[in-house]
């Protein structure tokens, strides 16, 4: 069984890709909506909340768990792997992909305040984009607006106005992938907007095949949707995206 965890709705883009690539696998989606958003919390608090969520998915029988949250991943993916027996897969801004795509040697990363300020992101840039000019943009209020379905062009433009000569834009928060179309529309056709959803789903497939954790034959899969406030209203909201 595969588990997908996020603070809220953001990981559903990855959830959909896993369903597409691995249609015969059972998947549990868990949203810690009671404590969302994570992007404005301390590292210790993020680690505590994330570890509790991963333990819950492990108890549900998940052999592979995707930390489908850039903020949670950058706060301590190696730490989680030491605490959890299941195979843990993280998600980080696709700086390497963007660096390979840009022709202007200028890229932008849109993410939560925590991810933008993280050493993890700085290390990614130093490793994969040392000769690229990277503009880091913290998008305050985006996650909450996506959760509440109150996204407006005005809100998005507050951050997107900072993008000028960058020809590749990285969605460094899984929530942002849910409004990728809106972002692309506002940036125009010349900007390349990229996320890690496909790459993460493919990695889940590779791990599942390597450790023989996938179904060997066609079967009807089960999809389970859980949230930390235990509300049917929120699980119904999840189902609208899948």
């Amino acid at each position: 069984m595969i588990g997908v965890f996020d603070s809220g709705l953001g990981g559903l883009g990855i959830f959909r890709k896993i369903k597409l690539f691995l249609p015969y696998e059972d998947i549990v989606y868990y949203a810690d909506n009671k404590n969302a958003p994570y992007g404005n919390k301390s590292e210790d608090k993020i680690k505590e909340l994330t570890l509790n969520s991963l333990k819950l998915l492990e108890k549900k029988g998940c052999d592979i768990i995707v930390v489908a949250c850039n903020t949670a991943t950058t706060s301590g993916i190696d730490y989680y792997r030491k605490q959890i027996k299941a195979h843990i897969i993280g998600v980080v801004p696709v700086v390497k992909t963007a660096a390979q795509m840009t022709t202007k040697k200028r890229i932008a990363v849109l993410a939560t305040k925590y991810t933008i300020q993280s050493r993890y992101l700085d290390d990614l840039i130093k490793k994969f984009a040392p000769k690229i000019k990277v503009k880091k943009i913290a998008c305050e209020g985006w996650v909450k607006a996506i959760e509440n379905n109150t996204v407006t062009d005005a809100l998005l433009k507050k951050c997107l106005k900072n993008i000028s000569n960058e020809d590749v834009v990285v969605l460094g928060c899984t929530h942002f992938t849910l409004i990728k179309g809106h972002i692309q529309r506002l940036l125009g056709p010349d900007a390349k907007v990229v996320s890690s959803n496909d790459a993460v789903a493919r990695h889940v497939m590779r791990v599942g095949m390597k450790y023989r954790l996938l179904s060997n034959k066609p079967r009807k899969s089960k999809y389970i949707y859980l949230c930390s406030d235990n509300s049917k209203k929120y699980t119904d909201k999840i189902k609208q995206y899948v």
Side-chain angles (χ1 to χ4, degrees):
M1 184 179 289
I2 299 168
V4 179
F5 155 72
D6 183 49
S7 61
L9 303 174
L12 290 169
I14 290 174
F15 178 92
R16 291 198 299 253
K17 289 294 182 180
I18 295 173
K19 280 179 60 179
L20 179 65
F21 293 170
L22 299 169
Y24 306 126
E25 302 306 314
D26 297 336
I27 310 174
V28 181
Y29 187 89
Y30 178 67
D32 186 19
N33 63 316
K34 184 178 180 180
N35 297 297
Y38 278 16
N40 56 4
K41 291 180 169 54
S42 69
E43 180 176 310
D44 287 344
K45 189 61 178 179
I46 295 168
K47 283 183 175 179
E48 175 191 338
L49 294 172
T50 300
L51 184 58
N52 289 340
S53 298
L54 299 182
K55 286 180 177 178
L56 181 149
L57 286 171
E58 190 171 46
K59 287 181 180 179
K60 293 291 181 182
C62 296
D63 303 301
I64 301 173
I65 303 175
V66 180
V67 182
C69 172
N70 287 267
T71 299
T73 299
T74 55
S75 72
I77 191 67
D78 292 331
Y79 167 75
Y80 308 133
R81 286 171 175 151
K82 292 176 183 177
Q83 307 297 321
I84 302 294
K85 292 181 180 179
H87 299 279
I88 303 296
I89 295 173
V91 53
V92 297
V94 285
V95 172
K96 180 179 180 180
T97 300
Q100 294 169 342
M101 292 174 64
T102 181
T103 57
K104 295 182 177 180
K105 303 299 181 184
R106 298 170 69 97
I107 67 176
V109 178
L110 308 178
T112 64
K113 180 180 178 181
Y114 182 90
T115 298
I116 289 298
Q117 296 177 345
S118 70
R119 182 180 298 178
Y120 200 109
L121 177 57
D122 287 340
D123 288 344
L124 285 176
I125 293 170
K126 289 177 183 177
K127 183 176 182 180
F128 297 116
K131 298 181 180 180
I132 306 294
K133 188 170 183 179
V134 181
K135 183 177 288 184
K136 301 187 294 181
I137 303 171
C139 301
E140 297 289 336
W142 282 27
V143 170
K144 185 176 181 180
I146 293 167
E147 287 286 317
N148 296 327
N149 195 27
T150 56
V151 175
T152 63
D153 284 2
L155 174 66
L156 300 184
K157 287 178 179 178
K158 286 181 181 179
C159 290
L160 298 182
K161 68 181 181 181
N162 295 303
I163 297 173
S164 52
N165 295 321
E166 293 76 26
D167 60 342
V168 183
V169 178
V170 177
L171 302 184
C173 172
T174 52
H175 273 81
F176 300 172
T177 68
L178 299 179
I179 57 168
K180 182 179 179 180
H182 296 293
I183 296 169
Q184 184 72 70
R185 174 175 56 81
L186 293 173
L187 290 176
D190 294 334
K192 301 179 182 70
V193 182
V194 296
S195 76
S196 58
N197 288 1
D198 277 29
V200 172
R202 289 192 184 95
H203 190 43
V204 170
M205 182 186 296
R206 285 194 294 270
V207 171
M209 293 176 67
K210 180 178 180 180
Y211 295 100
R212 298 184 179 183
L213 299 172
L214 303 179
S215 302
N216 294 320
K217 57 184 178 179
R219 55 186 289 276
K220 186 175 182 180
S221 53
K222 294 187 299 182
Y223 302 124
I224 302 170
Y225 310 104
L226 306 171
C227 59
S228 56
D229 74 350
N230 295 315
S231 67
K232 183 178 183 299
K233 182 178 180 180
Y234 198 84
T235 53
D236 286 344
K237 183 187 289 189
I238 290 173
K239 293 174 184 178
Q240 291 176 8
Y241 282 89
V242 298

